[in-house]
Amino acid sequence: MYELLSTYRTELGYTVATIVFLFIMQFLLRKTAHRVGKRSEINITRTRLMFKYINILIVLIAVFLLSLAWGVGLTELSLVFSSVFAVLGVALFAIWSILSNITSGIILFFSFPYKIGDKIKIHDKESPIEAIIEDIKAFHLHLRTIDGELITYPNNLVLQKAVSLIEKDVYADEGKDSL
């Protein structure tokens, strides 16, 4: 055991330093996302979705840094990452709308001016929608019309269409009446 530790002392040191660094980065990123969520009054489920994205980013960085620490050369590492990204690129090109909706979901998390419970109108030429935002997911919004119909509206279309606020947080008014 002692021989193993002495042989790989440098690599183990880099591994421990990398793991500590990534835990600190993850903590800071999660704290920042939580602070943005609280300041913007974003629903906790949307904030947790950002936590998942942060975890994925940290894992990718960890794989890269730990590979370097354990002696994988840059040429081998670049070959593996370029191959993986080529396969992912082809796969994501085939399902580009999913990637577009995920990206739109991240943008909506940080800059969408409407909250769950707001009544909005989406100005679509063919079929305008007037509804209450029930939930904001990674791929789509859940909208409830006045008739009670549930509409799932893709996030990328929300960013492409004009959206206006009709009434601010209708659920909050219902909660005040019941108190």
Side-chain angles (χ1 to χ4, degrees):
M1 181 69 164
Y2 180 74
E3 290 178 26
L4 184 69
L5 289 176
S6 63
T7 304
Y8 295 109
R9 185 177 47 149
T10 307
E11 289 86 355
L12 290 171
Y14 285 141
T15 300
V16 170
T18 300
I19 290 172
V20 168
F21 170 73
L22 290 176
F23 273 128
I24 292 170
M25 287 301 298
Q26 181 183 30
F27 174 76
L28 293 174
L29 288 172
R30 287 175 66 119
K31 190 171 183 160
T32 302
H34 185 68
R35 191 176 310 129
V36 167
K38 279 188 94 98
R39 186 174 355 115
S40 302
E41 297 176 1
I42 295 173
N43 190 320
I44 190 68
T45 56
R46 290 182 61 209
T47 305
R48 287 185 185 138
L49 182 65
M50 286 299 112
F51 291 167
K52 287 181 185 177
Y53 292 151
I54 289 169
N55 290 341
I56 291 170
L57 175 68
I58 293 297
V59 166
L60 288 174
I61 293 172
V63 167
F64 178 74
L65 291 177
L66 290 175
S67 297
L68 287 177
W70 283 90
V72 177
L74 284 177
T75 55
E76 292 88 8
L77 201 57
S78 64
L79 178 67
V80 169
F81 271 96
S82 64
S83 300
V84 167
F85 285 128
V87 169
L88 283 175
V90 170
L92 291 177
F93 180 74
I95 52 173
W96 66 269
S97 63
I98 291 175
L99 180 63
S100 172
N101 282 317
I102 290 174
T103 306
S104 299
I106 293 170
I107 293 169
L108 290 177
F109 177 78
F110 289 107
S111 66
F112 196 51
Y114 312 115
K115 310 285 183 250
I116 293 174
D118 289 352
K119 186 174 183 182
I120 61 170
K121 180 174 184 177
I122 299 174
H123 302 277
D124 190 2
K125 192 172 16 174
E126 288 94 33
S127 59
I129 298 172
E130 189 171 314
I132 297 170
I133 301 174
E134 279 195 352
D135 201 1
I136 303 173
K137 302 278 189 185
F139 298 105
H140 55 270
L141 297 176
H142 282 178
L143 304 172
R144 181 76 61 183
T145 64
I146 287 107
D147 301 331
E149 179 183 9
L150 178 66
I151 299 173
T152 56
Y153 201 77
N155 285 340
N156 61 349
L157 291 181
V158 171
L159 292 178
Q160 295 175 12
K161 305 289 181 183
V163 179
S164 58
L165 178 66
I166 295 175
E167 187 177 345
K168 193 90 175 134
D169 200 0
V170 263
Y171 294 139
D173 293 338
E174 290 173 2
K176 291 176 188 171
D177 293 339
S178 64
L179 294 176

